[in-house]
Amino acid sequence: MARYRSAEQLTARPGRSVRRAVFGALLVLLLVVGGTGFRVWQVARADERRPVDIGVVLGAAQYHGEPSEVLEARLDHALELYQDGLVDHVVTVGGRQQGDEYTEAQAGKKWLVEHGVPEGNVVPVDVGSDTIGSVRAVDRLADRRGWETALIVSDPWHSLRARTMANDVGLTTWASPTRSGPMVQTREIQFNYVLRETAGLLFYRLTHAPAEVSGFGLG
């Protein structure tokens, strides 16, 4: 009987080991996802504004040269940074959709100039359909102009991923997110975007590709 129990125990050990390994892997996954989500939320709530070379307004939809609510909230925040003397130049970013007369960058520049920023202090970068493409284009511009530091202006939940990408391409970057606009209107919207950006950031860290290639549509 003792021999039978020992054999039974030996048979059970591999099963317990597999269960422990699976539990451990799930625990690690939960910690990674939870920790990333917390950082997305934490950076969204912070404002790292400080004197820098440029403010970078990441693109969003525009309609016949008029910014969407999302883009206008970003532009309004960049205008505040300029008026407070924290940036000398504002870089507006973003290409055009098929059939558009204006690029997102051009619409952004038009809005800022109309609101008092001298035309020479707004530099449009008319490329970029996703965040990584946009920050790479800004980095090339910064190299030509001798700019080294930047404040990224985007929605709160997008700030960590955008800042991470910008630092990865070589800019010394901090995040100064908007505090108005559709992305911050309700708790439900905020929660959904934290989840989306958590997924997007994890995907980027694994692949260094824009998340939209996997179907997230995050850019």
Side-chain angles (χ1 to χ4, degrees):
M1 183 64 71
R3 289 179 181 175
Y4 175 76
R5 284 198 299 268
S6 296
E8 187 178 58
Q9 290 169 354
L10 288 172
T11 303
R13 282 174 187 167
R16 285 199 298 270
S17 298
V18 169
R19 286 194 296 271
R20 287 173 180 169
V22 170
F23 177 77
L26 289 174
L27 181 60
V28 169
L29 179 62
L30 181 62
L31 290 172
V32 169
V33 173
T36 302
F38 177 76
R39 285 292 293 151
V40 169
W41 175 83
Q42 188 179 47
V43 171
R45 291 173 60 85
D47 189 341
E48 301 173 322
R49 64 172 66 195
R50 65 197 65 202
V52 293
D53 295 325
I54 54 174
V56 180
V57 181
L58 295 180
Q62 59 82 32
Y63 307 104
H64 307 292
E66 296 300 319
S68 62
E69 288 185 64
V70 172
L71 181 54
E72 185 170 1
R74 298 178 186 183
L75 293 167
D76 189 61
H77 189 77
L79 177 63
E80 178 186 325
L81 296 175
Y82 177 82
Q83 291 174 338
D84 288 346
L86 297 175
V87 300
D88 290 327
H89 292 82
V90 179
V91 177
T92 56
V93 184
R96 61 164 52 89
Q97 300 296 321
Q98 186 173 2
D100 285 349
E101 180 181 356
Y102 289 84
T103 65
E104 293 168 0
Q106 289 169 341
K109 176 171 182 173
K110 175 174 172 287
W111 189 96
L112 287 166
V113 171
E114 288 173 352
H115 286 77
V117 182
E119 187 169 357
N121 292 77
V122 185
V123 184
V125 175
D126 301 310
V127 298
S129 58
D130 53 57
T131 305
I132 190 65
S134 295
V135 297
R136 283 172 177 161
V138 172
D139 182 56
R140 291 192 293 269
L141 172 68
D143 282 344
R144 294 195 299 271
R145 295 289 189 98
W147 295 329
E148 297 180 350
T149 57
L151 284 173
I152 293 287
V153 179
S154 190
D155 308 315
W157 328 111
H158 186 218
S159 293
L160 177 59
R161 186 160 60 92
R163 187 187 72 181
T164 299
M165 289 178 171
N167 284 326
D168 283 352
V169 301
L171 283 170
T172 301
T173 309
W174 297 271
S176 185
T178 63
R179 296 293 176 226
S180 61
M183 299 303 184
V184 297
Q185 286 181 349
T186 68
R187 294 287 185 187
E188 182 180 1
I189 289 174
Q190 294 173 23
F191 179 73
N192 287 338
Y193 273 92
V194 168
L195 290 180
R196 285 161 58 91
E197 284 296 328
T198 298
L201 182 56
L202 287 171
F203 183 83
Y204 169 73
R205 284 176 171 166
L206 286 170
T207 66
H208 283 265
E212 63 185 14
V213 301
S214 68
F216 286 116
L218 298 173

PDB file of all heavy atoms in Angstrom, residues 37-57:
ATOM      1  N   GLY A  37      -1.101  49.519 -16.815  1.00  0.00           N
ATOM      2  CA  GLY A  37      -2.318  50.320 -16.712  1.00  0.00           C
ATOM      3  C   GLY A  37      -2.202  51.400 -15.656  1.00  0.00           C
ATOM      4  O   GLY A  37      -2.653  52.538 -15.852  1.00  0.00           O
ATOM      5  N   PHE A  38      -1.575  51.062 -14.533  1.00  0.00           N
ATOM      6  CA  PHE A  38      -1.381  52.057 -13.475  1.00  0.00           C
ATOM      7  C   PHE A  38      -0.482  53.191 -13.944  1.00  0.00           C
ATOM      8  O   PHE A  38      -0.748  54.363 -13.660  1.00  0.00           O
ATOM      9  CB  PHE A  38      -0.786  51.394 -12.233  1.00  0.00           C
ATOM     10  CG  PHE A  38      -0.480  52.372 -11.125  1.00  0.00           C
ATOM     11  CD1 PHE A  38      -1.500  52.897 -10.348  1.00  0.00           C
ATOM     12  CD2 PHE A  38       0.827  52.776 -10.884  1.00  0.00           C
ATOM     13  CE1 PHE A  38      -1.223  53.816  -9.338  1.00  0.00           C
ATOM     14  CE2 PHE A  38       1.111  53.691  -9.875  1.00  0.00           C
ATOM     15  CZ  PHE A  38       0.076  54.204  -9.098  1.00  0.00           C
ATOM     16  N   ARG A  39       0.573  52.859 -14.693  1.00  0.00           N
ATOM     17  CA  ARG A  39       1.467  53.902 -15.202  1.00  0.00           C
ATOM     18  C   ARG A  39       0.758  54.797 -16.224  1.00  0.00           C
ATOM     19  O   ARG A  39       0.975  56.013 -16.241  1.00  0.00           O
ATOM     20  CB  ARG A  39       2.716  53.281 -15.837  1.00  0.00           C
ATOM     21  CG  ARG A  39       3.703  52.754 -14.838  1.00  0.00           C
ATOM     22  CD  ARG A  39       4.340  53.891 -14.044  1.00  0.00           C
ATOM     23  NE  ARG A  39       5.188  54.736 -14.879  1.00  0.00           N
ATOM     24  CZ  ARG A  39       5.406  56.019 -14.666  1.00  0.00           C
ATOM     25  NH1 ARG A  39       4.810  56.639 -13.663  1.00  0.00           N
ATOM     26  NH2 ARG A  39       6.209  56.714 -15.469  1.00  0.00           N
ATOM     27  N   VAL A  40      -0.086  54.199 -17.078  1.00  0.00           N
ATOM     28  CA  VAL A  40      -0.873  55.003 -18.017  1.00  0.00           C
ATOM     29  C   VAL A  40      -1.723  56.005 -17.245  1.00  0.00           C
ATOM     30  O   VAL A  40      -1.775  57.197 -17.569  1.00  0.00           O
ATOM     31  CB  VAL A  40      -1.759  54.100 -18.901  1.00  0.00           C
ATOM     32  CG1 VAL A  40      -2.775  54.938 -19.688  1.00  0.00           C
ATOM     33  CG2 VAL A  40      -0.903  53.282 -19.864  1.00  0.00           C
ATOM     34  N   TRP A  41      -2.403  55.528 -16.213  1.00  0.00           N
ATOM     35  CA  TRP A  41      -3.262  56.378 -15.384  1.00  0.00           C
ATOM     36  C   TRP A  41      -2.439  57.422 -14.628  1.00  0.00           C
ATOM     37  O   TRP A  41      -2.827  58.591 -14.540  1.00  0.00           O
ATOM     38  CB  TRP A  41      -4.028  55.500 -14.410  1.00  0.00           C
ATOM     39  CG  TRP A  41      -4.873  56.241 -13.411  1.00  0.00           C
ATOM     40  CD1 TRP A  41      -6.128  56.735 -13.602  1.00  0.00           C
ATOM     41  CD2 TRP A  41      -4.515  56.564 -12.060  1.00  0.00           C
ATOM     42  NE1 TRP A  41      -6.579  57.349 -12.450  1.00  0.00           N
ATOM     43  CE2 TRP A  41      -5.609  57.259 -11.493  1.00  0.00           C
ATOM     44  CE3 TRP A  41      -3.383  56.329 -11.281  1.00  0.00           C
ATOM     45  CZ2 TRP A  41      -5.587  57.719 -10.178  1.00  0.00           C
ATOM     46  CZ3 TRP A  41      -3.363  56.790  -9.973  1.00  0.00           C
ATOM     47  CH2 TRP A  41      -4.457  57.481  -9.432  1.00  0.00           C
ATOM     48  N   GLN A  42      -1.279  57.018 -14.106  1.00  0.00           N
ATOM     49  CA  GLN A  42      -0.442  57.913 -13.308  1.00  0.00           C
ATOM     50  C   GLN A  42       0.101  59.066 -14.155  1.00  0.00           C
ATOM     51  O   GLN A  42       0.045  60.237 -13.753  1.00  0.00           O
ATOM     52  CB  GLN A  42       0.702  57.117 -12.690  1.00  0.00           C
ATOM     53  CG  GLN A  42       1.546  57.872 -11.691  1.00  0.00           C
ATOM     54  CD  GLN A  42       2.642  56.988 -11.114  1.00  0.00           C
ATOM     55  OE1 GLN A  42       3.343  56.292 -11.849  1.00  0.00           O
ATOM     56  NE2 GLN A  42       2.777  56.993  -9.798  1.00  0.00           N
ATOM     57  N   VAL A  43       0.633  58.749 -15.337  1.00  0.00           N
ATOM     58  CA  VAL A  43       1.180  59.783 -16.213  1.00  0.00           C
ATOM     59  C   VAL A  43       0.056  60.682 -16.733  1.00  0.00           C
ATOM     60  O   VAL A  43       0.240  61.888 -16.899  1.00  0.00           O
ATOM     61  CB  VAL A  43       1.972  59.152 -17.373  1.00  0.00           C
ATOM     62  CG1 VAL A  43       2.372  60.199 -18.414  1.00  0.00           C
ATOM     63  CG2 VAL A  43       3.221  58.449 -16.831  1.00  0.00           C
ATOM     64  N   ALA A  44      -1.118  60.108 -16.962  1.00  0.00           N
ATOM     65  CA  ALA A  44      -2.261  60.903 -17.423  1.00  0.00           C
ATOM     66  C   ALA A  44      -2.630  61.987 -16.414  1.00  0.00           C
ATOM     67  O   ALA A  44      -3.081  63.073 -16.788  1.00  0.00           O
ATOM     68  CB  ALA A  44      -3.458  59.995 -17.685  1.00  0.00           C
ATOM     69  N   ARG A  45      -2.454  61.718 -15.142  1.00  0.00           N
ATOM     70  CA  ARG A  45      -2.840  62.658 -14.095  1.00  0.00           C
ATOM     71  C   ARG A  45      -1.761  63.704 -13.806  1.00  0.00           C
ATOM     72  O   ARG A  45      -2.029  64.682 -13.103  1.00  0.00           O
ATOM     73  CB  ARG A  45      -3.158  61.886 -12.810  1.00  0.00           C
ATOM     74  CG  ARG A  45      -4.422  61.051 -12.907  1.00  0.00           C
ATOM     75  CD  ARG A  45      -4.600  60.176 -11.683  1.00  0.00           C
ATOM     76  NE  ARG A  45      -4.687  60.972 -10.461  1.00  0.00           N
ATOM     77  CZ  ARG A  45      -5.815  61.526 -10.003  1.00  0.00           C
ATOM     78  NH1 ARG A  45      -6.937  61.409 -10.687  1.00  0.00           N
ATOM     79  NH2 ARG A  45      -5.819  62.222  -8.878  1.00  0.00           N
ATOM     80  N   ALA A  46      -0.567  63.496 -14.344  1.00  0.00           N
ATOM     81  CA  ALA A  46       0.548  64.414 -14.081  1.00  0.00           C
ATOM     82  C   ALA A  46       0.681  65.421 -15.215  1.00  0.00           C
ATOM     83  O   ALA A  46       0.204  65.206 -16.331  1.00  0.00           O
ATOM     84  CB  ALA A  46       1.845  63.627 -13.928  1.00  0.00           C
ATOM     85  N   ASP A  47       1.328  66.534 -14.919  1.00  0.00           N
ATOM     86  CA  ASP A  47       1.679  67.516 -15.940  1.00  0.00           C
ATOM     87  C   ASP A  47       3.137  67.866 -15.726  1.00  0.00           C
ATOM     88  O   ASP A  47       3.503  68.487 -14.738  1.00  0.00           O
ATOM     89  CB  ASP A  47       0.801  68.763 -15.822  1.00  0.00           C
ATOM     90  CG  ASP A  47       0.986  69.716 -16.998  1.00  0.00           C
ATOM     91  OD1 ASP A  47       2.012  69.607 -17.702  1.00  0.00           O
ATOM     92  OD2 ASP A  47       0.108  70.565 -17.222  1.00  0.00           O
ATOM     93  N   GLU A  48       3.978  67.424 -16.659  1.00  0.00           N
ATOM     94  CA  GLU A  48       5.423  67.587 -16.517  1.00  0.00           C
ATOM     95  C   GLU A  48       5.916  68.878 -17.167  1.00  0.00           C
ATOM     96  O   GLU A  48       7.093  68.977 -17.516  1.00  0.00           O
ATOM     97  CB  GLU A  48       6.130  66.382 -17.138  1.00  0.00           C
ATOM     98  CG  GLU A  48       5.727  65.057 -16.507  1.00  0.00           C
ATOM     99  CD  GLU A  48       6.301  63.851 -17.230  1.00  0.00           C
ATOM    100  OE1 GLU A  48       6.371  63.878 -18.480  1.00  0.00           O
ATOM    101  OE2 GLU A  48       6.673  62.882 -16.553  1.00  0.00           O
ATOM    102  N   ARG A  49       5.050  69.864 -17.298  1.00  0.00           N
ATOM    103  CA  ARG A  49       5.424  71.100 -17.995  1.00  0.00           C
ATOM    104  C   ARG A  49       6.648  71.745 -17.375  1.00  0.00           C
ATOM    105  O   ARG A  49       6.808  71.772 -16.161  1.00  0.00           O
ATOM    106  CB  ARG A  49       4.251  72.082 -18.016  1.00  0.00           C
ATOM    107  CG  ARG A  49       3.816  72.583 -16.654  1.00  0.00           C
ATOM    108  CD  ARG A  49       2.779  73.690 -16.800  1.00  0.00           C
ATOM    109  NE  ARG A  49       1.534  73.208 -17.374  1.00  0.00           N
ATOM    110  CZ  ARG A  49       0.594  74.020 -17.866  1.00  0.00           C
ATOM    111  NH1 ARG A  49       0.776  75.341 -17.851  1.00  0.00           N
ATOM    112  NH2 ARG A  49      -0.517  73.519 -18.348  1.00  0.00           N
ATOM    113  N   ARG A  50       7.495  72.268 -18.235  1.00  0.00           N
ATOM    114  CA  ARG A  50       8.747  72.921 -17.863  1.00  0.00           C
ATOM    115  C   ARG A  50       9.263  73.651 -19.105  1.00  0.00           C
ATOM    116  O   ARG A  50       8.792  73.373 -20.216  1.00  0.00           O
ATOM    117  CB  ARG A  50       9.771  71.890 -17.390  1.00  0.00           C
ATOM    118  CG  ARG A  50      10.221  70.921 -18.481  1.00  0.00           C
ATOM    119  CD  ARG A  50      10.896  69.706 -17.910  1.00  0.00           C
ATOM    120  NE  ARG A  50       9.955  68.928 -17.120  1.00  0.00           N
ATOM    121  CZ  ARG A  50      10.327  68.060 -16.176  1.00  0.00           C
ATOM    122  NH1 ARG A  50      11.621  67.892 -15.910  1.00  0.00           N
ATOM    123  NH2 ARG A  50       9.421  67.371 -15.498  1.00  0.00           N
ATOM    124  N   PRO A  51      10.207  74.555 -18.981  1.00  0.00           N
ATOM    125  CA  PRO A  51      10.756  75.215 -20.173  1.00  0.00           C
ATOM    126  C   PRO A  51      11.488  74.207 -21.065  1.00  0.00           C
ATOM    127  O   PRO A  51      12.356  73.467 -20.595  1.00  0.00           O
ATOM    128  CB  PRO A  51      11.723  76.247 -19.593  1.00  0.00           C
ATOM    129  CG  PRO A  51      11.260  76.469 -18.187  1.00  0.00           C
ATOM    130  CD  PRO A  51      10.732  75.145 -17.731  1.00  0.00           C
ATOM    131  N   VAL A  52      11.116  74.168 -22.326  1.00  0.00           N
ATOM    132  CA  VAL A  52      11.734  73.263 -23.296  1.00  0.00           C
ATOM    133  C   VAL A  52      11.872  73.991 -24.626  1.00  0.00           C
ATOM    134  O   VAL A  52      11.420  75.125 -24.785  1.00  0.00           O
ATOM    135  CB  VAL A  52      10.891  71.976 -23.495  1.00  0.00           C
ATOM    136  CG1 VAL A  52      10.870  71.126 -22.236  1.00  0.00           C
ATOM    137  CG2 VAL A  52       9.468  72.324 -23.936  1.00  0.00           C
ATOM    138  N   ASP A  53      12.489  73.316 -25.587  1.00  0.00           N
ATOM    139  CA  ASP A  53      12.674  73.926 -26.904  1.00  0.00           C
ATOM    140  C   ASP A  53      11.365  74.020 -27.684  1.00  0.00           C
ATOM    141  O   ASP A  53      11.096  75.026 -28.343  1.00  0.00           O
ATOM    142  CB  ASP A  53      13.703  73.123 -27.714  1.00  0.00           C
ATOM    143  CG  ASP A  53      15.086  73.163 -27.095  1.00  0.00           C
ATOM    144  OD1 ASP A  53      15.450  74.215 -26.516  1.00  0.00           O
ATOM    145  OD2 ASP A  53      15.809  72.148 -27.184  1.00  0.00           O
ATOM    146  N   ILE A  54      10.570  72.942 -27.652  1.00  0.00           N
ATOM    147  CA  ILE A  54       9.357  72.906 -28.474  1.00  0.00           C
ATOM    148  C   ILE A  54       8.202  72.222 -27.743  1.00  0.00           C
ATOM    149  O   ILE A  54       8.405  71.347 -26.908  1.00  0.00           O
ATOM    150  CB  ILE A  54       9.591  72.158 -29.806  1.00  0.00           C
ATOM    151  CG1 ILE A  54      10.163  70.757 -29.553  1.00  0.00           C
ATOM    152  CG2 ILE A  54      10.485  72.955 -30.727  1.00  0.00           C
ATOM    153  CD1 ILE A  54      10.283  69.898 -30.806  1.00  0.00           C
ATOM    154  N   GLY A  55       7.003  72.650 -28.092  1.00  0.00           N
ATOM    155  CA  GLY A  55       5.805  71.907 -27.740  1.00  0.00           C
ATOM    156  C   GLY A  55       5.348  71.151 -28.973  1.00  0.00           C
ATOM    157  O   GLY A  55       5.317  71.718 -30.080  1.00  0.00           O
ATOM    158  N   VAL A  56       5.018  69.889 -28.829  1.00  0.00           N
ATOM    159  CA  VAL A  56       4.628  69.043 -29.965  1.00  0.00           C
ATOM    160  C   VAL A  56       3.167  68.659 -29.819  1.00  0.00           C
ATOM    161  O   VAL A  56       2.795  67.937 -28.883  1.00  0.00           O
ATOM    162  CB  VAL A  56       5.503  67.783 -30.048  1.00  0.00           C
ATOM    163  CG1 VAL A  56       5.074  66.915 -31.230  1.00  0.00           C
ATOM    164  CG2 VAL A  56       6.980  68.146 -30.155  1.00  0.00           C
ATOM    165  N   VAL A  57       2.336  69.151 -30.724  1.00  0.00           N
ATOM    166  CA  VAL A  57       0.906  68.828 -30.702  1.00  0.00           C
ATOM    167  C   VAL A  57       0.672  67.654 -31.645  1.00  0.00           C
ATOM    168  O   VAL A  57       0.787  67.791 -32.874  1.00  0.00           O
ATOM    169  CB  VAL A  57       0.054  70.031 -31.151  1.00  0.00           C
ATOM    170  CG1 VAL A  57      -1.432  69.668 -31.085  1.00  0.00           C
ATOM    171  CG2 VAL A  57       0.349  71.245 -30.287  1.00  0.00           C
TER     172      VAL A  57
END
